[in-house]
Amino acid sequence: AHFLLWQYGEKFGVIERPPIPVDEILECQLDLHFNFDDLAARLRVPDALGATWVEDRQVVVDESLDPVKHPKKEGRYRFTVGHEIGHWELHRHLCQEDTAQPTLFRGMRKPSIVCRTRSARSRAEWQANAFSAALLMPTDMVARAWRGHRAGASPYAAAREMAELRSRWGLSKEAEPTVEIARDIAREFKVSGQAMQIRLKGLNLICTEATAGLRF
């Protein structure tokens, strides 16, 4: 993901601040075709969020995530586009090398890769999610934003705030509601608060348990 951002910078100019122009990366840098469609009707798969046709160099996102029609879905839309880019960068060779592979390649008229909510825990889906997070929320930009919000790089112990939010919203003890600082930074990157919180946890900037000694 970082290399892809570097390539984009070499060709179109360095991205100095968020949000990452994920649409331009897909269409201008990777030269992929993109559009929205009713994937449930088109693929007869009720929970499809995105699909990629490798041979046609085409990416389609479900119309329910169109940020023009559904502005509140912008973060989810951008993450899905980054997710499809992740599949393109990480997995397209699997489709090209083995056209009989049942889980990824389904022929010219059907998508090579279908991203469904029920398959989110598969290895390929996890990898595409990790790629999207790194692409949309680069480590250096997140660290800079964090220092701006926290006046330093020290991690935030979020256990108390989460407990208060769970109590206020009637959530289970296992739930991890999005804390305020994650929501604030998410707006800068135009991603969901949940996606940003997961990223911040992965960078050891948010601690959801009473654990000391974390460092960025």
Side-chain angles (χ1 to χ4, degrees):
H2 293 164
F3 182 65
L4 185 62
L5 289 171
W6 177 83
Q7 288 180 311
Y8 179 91
E10 287 289 295
K11 189 172 183 179
F12 300 104
V14 176
I15 305 170
E16 297 182 348
R17 60 181 63 87
I20 300 300
V22 67
D23 306 80
E24 294 180 13
I25 290 174
L26 185 144
E27 295 186 281
C28 301
Q29 174 67 17
L30 297 177
D31 194 27
L32 299 176
H33 307 292
F34 173 80
N35 66 305
F36 293 99
D37 201 351
D38 183 350
L39 288 179
R42 181 172 179 177
L43 305 179
R44 297 181 182 179
V45 176
D47 59 342
L49 296 177
T52 296
W53 283 256
V54 170
E55 297 298 325
D56 297 336
R57 302 183 66 87
Q58 182 181 34
V59 170
V60 176
V61 170
D62 189 68
E63 61 186 9
S64 66
L65 298 182
D66 185 340
V68 175
K69 297 179 179 178
H70 310 283
K72 293 183 179 180
K73 297 284 187 71
E74 182 180 27
R76 191 70 188 88
Y77 156 73
R78 285 170 49 78
F79 197 89
T80 299
V81 173
H83 180 100
E84 297 305 317
I85 292 175
H87 278 309
W88 178 261
E89 291 290 283
L90 301 175
H91 305 132
R92 72 179 184 274
H93 67 284
L94 300 176
C95 307
Q96 294 168 338
E97 290 176 359
D98 184 3
T99 58
Q101 188 180 69
T103 57
L104 288 181
F105 192 91
R106 299 167 185 253
M108 286 291 290
R109 295 187 179 180
K110 293 184 180 181
S112 312
I113 302 168
V114 179
C115 301
R116 307 175 61 183
T117 56
R118 69 177 61 184
S119 60
R121 294 190 179 186
S122 73
R123 178 175 295 181
E125 292 301 294
W126 182 90
Q127 291 170 345
N129 278 340
F131 187 100
S132 185
L135 181 68
L136 296 177
M137 297 168 278
T139 302
D140 58 339
M141 289 189 190
V142 173
R144 188 162 57 247
W146 181 263
R147 289 192 294 269
H149 282 265
R150 292 279 291 172
S154 60
Y156 172 52
R160 177 177 295 180
E161 182 179 351
M162 284 188 174
E164 292 175 353
L165 292 174
R166 281 193 292 266
S167 176
R168 184 188 311 168
W169 297 338
L171 302 176
S172 68
K173 293 182 179 180
E174 293 75 25
E176 290 195 358
T178 306
V179 296
E180 183 177 6
I181 191 169
R183 295 195 299 270
D184 289 343
I185 298 177
R187 283 191 283 270
E188 297 179 29
F189 288 77
K190 292 188 178 180
V191 298
S192 69
Q194 182 184 35
M196 179 56 71
Q197 182 155 299
I198 292 172
R199 183 66 166 148
L200 292 172
K201 286 180 60 180
L203 294 174
N204 286 336
L205 290 174
I206 283 182
C207 177
T208 58
E209 299 178 358
T211 304
L214 291 177
R215 295 184 302 169
F216 176 72

